[in-house]
Amino acid sequence: MKEKIRIASGQGFWGDLIDAPVDQVTKGDIDYLVMDYLAEVTMSILQKQKHKNPEHGYARDIPELMHRILPVCREKNIKIITNGGGVNPTACANEVLNIARELNIPDIKIAVVLGDDIIDRIDEIVSSGYELNNMETGDSIISVKDELLSANVYFGAFPIVEALEKGADIVITGRTTDTGLTLAPMIYEFGWDKNNYDLMSAGTVAGHILECGGQASGGNLMADWQNVENLAEIGFPIAEAYPNGEVIITKHENTGGKVSFETIAEQLVYEIGDPTEYITPDCVVDFTSIKLEDLGNNRVKVYNVKGKKETEFYKVSISYCDGYKAVGSLTYSWPDTLKKAKAADQILRKRLENLGLQFDEIKTDLVGFNATHENIAKVLEEDCINEITLRIAVRSHDKKAVTRFGQEIAPLILTGPPSVTGFAGGRPKPSRVVAYWPALIPKSVVQPEVKILEWK
Amino acid sequence: MEIKLLDIAHGRSGDKGSAANIGIIAYNDEGYEIIRKYLTPEKVQEHFKGICKGEVERYELPNIRALNFILNDTLGGGGTVSLKFDAQGKTLAAALLRMTLHIDD
């Protein structure tokens, strides 16, 4: 057994710094590169892409990235784990195999984790008596059945552990929890017992810290942000894990950003609910047990993590189309900035009303005045406001109403208040509103499947 | 005595469906005692009046000197449904740090 392993975060979301995973494999020593590509909205986009082309439906950044990192990963024996397979992990893996062959690394072993995508099984599942009711509203899935865009079960670490046990160099999954990507190599390397919930929790907490990339190593930091050095060359976080469950969060030397008590504490509280019940498919973690010790030199020890047995359910993330929306904006300058922005808003709303258009919601924000903090914002004197960007957003189940709204923005320039600019890029077009349907499903209903792909 | 929350704490916020979560972390133990005592869910509910349309829940994490607040029904539907400029509640921690606490001398 190794005495420690180093697991590096390469992406916090799809669209994150393209060079971050390259830096992680080249700027120092690591054993695993883990990359989270999936947000809830991503699944619906990928499903749409797969619908258009059966070979798509995964994070399209992966092939180019693999071109850049496979040789060095082979040389340094770094394994790669990612959920960027989206709704088509097999197509993604085949593309990576092609690249490996081009790079003259033909003996690479890629594992895919399948079984999370249940979009084509909804009828069967519901008719078997699993209603997939909305966790928040209690409504039956039948009410949105015709509008479904994607449906994926969140798997945990164990399908990835199975893949590693089968000798995979690269593991490509669909909807795996972000935390499972990091926990899996610890279970595999240290032979952790799945019933040791404290160890499962320790790896899960490390995963929570790594899952947002640079947000744990100095990015988006409120504590003394101005003294974070060299964010331009930020080093993404690395979890140095030990067999007893202790983890040291750090980053490569000679990179920017920082790892401190504050950077880790801010990430620990990010998007959590009841801290005593952080639920994953692998365990239920008590975040109030976590101890942090800032060791200095960009090293923070995370230890004493406690947890309990996992639940009987998987979470299912289902997305469906819930109408259309569009956003338009115009910028008004001094003088009478606020008055002009408000007048333009009123004129537009009156025109929409006269047209008899039906909207579920019309939302006006005054960017530069109070769009982020709304009524908590400090009120500026009219004469001190240099400019305001009027941002108006609408949502409707009537696509034509949303289209027409988009046609009513530019005319305000010549038929509304003066000193206005900032209309570029053409008329705002309707885009689909993707809504989420969180549900639970008993673990017995869905089986993860691990397949090894290699050139024969 | 008045204390600006911004002077004794930092934090991070994000979305959980239509609810927002705001984690507030004190810079030291003394600061944690102050936020634990004075930064009540009622005070946070009042601060976000008109923005948070549901209930405010508060959880304590004394191990990292933090409080976690859940602001239910705050993000106008959440995800891509929300028309809000800050649909994911990323700036709400800063909005909470605008608060001034009135503490016993």
Side-chain angles (χ1 to χ4, degrees):
Chain A
M1 184 171 68
K2 288 181 183 160
E3 66 178 35
K4 70 174 179 191
I5 53 170
R6 283 162 63 91
I7 304 163
S9 162
Q11 287 280 283
F13 65 101
W14 186 5
D16 206 348
L17 284 177
I18 286 174
D19 289 344
V22 181
D23 290 346
Q24 289 290 47
V25 299
T26 56
K27 290 192 172 176
D29 290 332
I30 60 168
D31 301 289
Y32 287 85
L33 176 69
V34 297
M35 293 180 290
D36 170 35
Y37 281 95
L38 303 181
E40 279 171 328
V41 70
T42 319
M43 302 310 286
S44 62
I45 295 167
L46 292 173
Q47 202 62 261
K48 196 177 168 187
Q49 291 175 356
K50 186 184 172 191
H51 201 69
K52 282 185 187 159
N53 182 339
E55 294 304 310
H56 288 175
Y58 58 89
R60 300 283 291 162
D61 290 357
I62 290 181
E64 192 186 320
L65 173 65
M66 291 297 175
H67 249 290
R68 297 177 68 191
I69 66 172
L70 277 188
V72 62
C73 288
R74 164 53 62 106
E75 181 199 322
K76 297 168 90 173
N77 195 22
I78 298 167
K79 293 178 197 274
I80 302 168
I81 303 172
T82 179
N83 60 14
V87 297
N88 206 349
T90 305
C92 182
N94 283 329
E95 186 63 28
V96 177
L97 274 180
N98 285 333
I99 289 163
R101 195 161 66 160
E102 280 170 34
L103 293 168
N104 207 19
I105 319 175
D107 57 335
I108 206 157
K109 253 188 179 180
I110 305 183
V112 290
V113 176
L114 308 171
D116 63 297
D117 186 356
I118 57 166
I119 187 76
D120 297 327
R121 292 184 56 198
I122 299 290
D123 283 334
E124 169 217 326
I125 288 168
V126 172
S127 62
S128 313
Y130 306 106
E131 291 170 327
L132 300 174
N133 288 343
N134 188 307
M135 282 165 74
E136 285 162 15
T137 63
D139 294 339
S140 161
I141 188 85
I142 302 301
S143 62
V144 294
K145 215 192 136 296
D146 295 336
E147 303 294 336
L148 293 182
L149 301 170
S150 69
N152 294 78
V153 173
Y154 280 84
F155 287 148
F158 282 92
I160 301 172
V161 175
E162 186 186 331
L164 294 171
E165 283 167 351
K166 288 180 172 169
D169 303 298
I170 301 174
V171 186
I172 297 174
T173 79
R175 187 64 272 194
T176 292
T177 55
D178 314 343
T179 55
L181 303 176
T182 297
L183 169 60
M186 300 187 201
I187 297 171
Y188 167 69
E189 294 281 359
F190 303 141
W192 284 353
D193 176 359
K194 75 184 282 286
N195 296 315
N196 188 329
Y197 304 113
D198 290 347
L199 290 176
M200 295 303 110
S201 297
T204 299
V205 167
H208 179 85
I209 293 169
L210 257 50
E211 74 184 24
C212 295
Q215 202 174 230
S217 54
N220 192 23
L221 178 72
M222 286 191 86
D224 200 19
W225 71 271
Q226 295 181 89
N227 284 317
V228 179
E229 284 176 20
N230 195 12
L231 278 175
E233 296 172 286
I234 186 168
F236 273 38
I238 294 168
E240 194 175 287
Y242 293 83
N244 66 359
E246 288 184 4
V247 172
I248 291 172
I249 305 295
T250 185
K251 65 185 185 71
H252 284 319
E253 281 177 29
N254 304 315
T255 57
K258 90 174 170 187
V259 177
S260 67
F261 178 95
E262 285 78 16
T263 71
I264 303 303
E266 283 196 24
Q267 181 55 22
L268 281 178
V269 296
Y270 183 63
E271 289 183 348
I272 62 167
D274 178 348
T276 64
E277 302 253 319
Y278 181 93
I279 300 170
T280 76
D282 305 308
C283 56
V284 178
V285 189
D286 180 358
F287 269 44
T288 67
S289 67
I290 303 167
K291 290 194 171 147
L292 299 183
E293 186 184 349
D294 194 331
L295 305 171
N297 197 26
N298 294 306
R299 290 172 70 81
V300 173
K301 185 161 105 172
V302 183
Y303 63 107
N304 194 56
V305 183
K306 306 289 178 202
K308 58 189 180 190
K309 188 176 168 51
E310 76 278 13
T311 74
E312 300 292 311
F313 299 92
Y314 284 125
K315 191 176 175 193
V316 193
S317 173
I318 299 168
S319 68
Y320 63 101
C321 182
D322 194 17
Y324 298 86
K325 69 175 181 179
V327 181
S329 61
L330 291 170
T331 299
Y332 291 87
S333 88
W334 184 94
D336 303 326
T337 320
L338 181 61
K339 280 184 192 148
K340 288 190 289 202
K342 284 185 170 174
D345 180 47
Q346 289 308 311
I347 292 163
L348 178 67
R349 283 173 180 256
K350 181 80 165 87
R351 286 177 184 163
L352 296 175
E353 192 186 318
N354 290 348
L355 288 164
L357 303 174
Q358 298 295 313
F359 296 102
D360 299 329
E361 189 186 353
I362 304 176
K363 174 93 170 84
T364 302
D365 283 300
L366 304 172
V367 181
F369 183 68
N370 68 352
T372 56
H373 292 177
E374 301 180 72
N375 57 14
I376 304 171
K378 193 176 274 182
V379 179
L380 298 171
E381 297 287 329
E382 176 72 85
D383 197 52
C384 297
I385 308 169
N386 291 312
E387 66 242 350
I388 287 175
T389 295
L390 171 68
R391 175 190 184 272
I392 305 175
V394 298
R395 185 158 51 84
S396 176
H397 283 76
D398 178 4
K399 193 175 179 182
K400 283 183 188 150
V402 179
T403 302
R404 184 59 198 258
F405 159 81
Q407 294 164 337
E408 292 293 323
I409 303 294
L412 278 167
I413 298 169
L414 303 187
T415 64
S419 327
V420 55
T421 185
F423 186 81
R427 289 166 168 162
K429 299 266 186 315
S431 63
R432 276 197 310 199
V433 171
V434 181
Y436 295 100
W437 188 276
L440 296 175
I441 194 167
K443 285 184 172 164
S444 56
V445 180
V446 193
Q447 300 303 325
E449 185 193 349
V450 178
K451 269 193 195 167
I452 297 283
L453 306 179
E454 55 192 322
W455 284 106
K456 306 242 161 39
Chain B
M1 179 171 131
E2 291 194 339
I3 288 185
K4 285 183 181 160
L5 192 50
L6 183 66
D7 291 339
I8 62 167
H10 58 113
R12 182 168 289 176
S13 53
D15 61 326
K16 288 192 78 66
S18 195
N21 113 286
I22 305 178
I24 295 295
I25 304 150
Y27 284 111
N28 56 38
D29 293 343
E30 189 193 356
Y32 180 67
E33 281 314 305
I34 292 170
I35 62 172
R36 199 178 61 84
K37 189 167 174 194
Y38 295 97
L39 192 57
T40 60
E42 294 77 19
K43 199 131 198 281
V44 173
Q45 187 100 51
E46 176 66 24
H47 188 71
F48 284 100
K49 206 170 154 184
I51 297 172
C52 174
K53 299 183 171 79
E55 220 180 307
V56 172
E57 302 165 44
R58 185 183 100 155
Y59 300 97
E60 298 179 11
L61 294 98
N63 51 322
I64 53 168
R65 306 190 296 259
L67 298 175
N68 185 40
F69 294 94
I70 303 297
L71 279 61
N72 289 292
D73 196 5
T74 295
L75 299 177
T80 75
V81 177
S82 175
L83 299 183
K84 292 187 79 138
F85 187 58
D86 183 14
Q88 294 177 300
K90 300 272 187 190
T91 68
L92 293 179
L96 181 50
L97 291 180
R98 285 177 179 272
M99 190 189 278
T100 299
L101 296 173
H102 303 269
I103 71 166
D104 303 328
D105 292 321

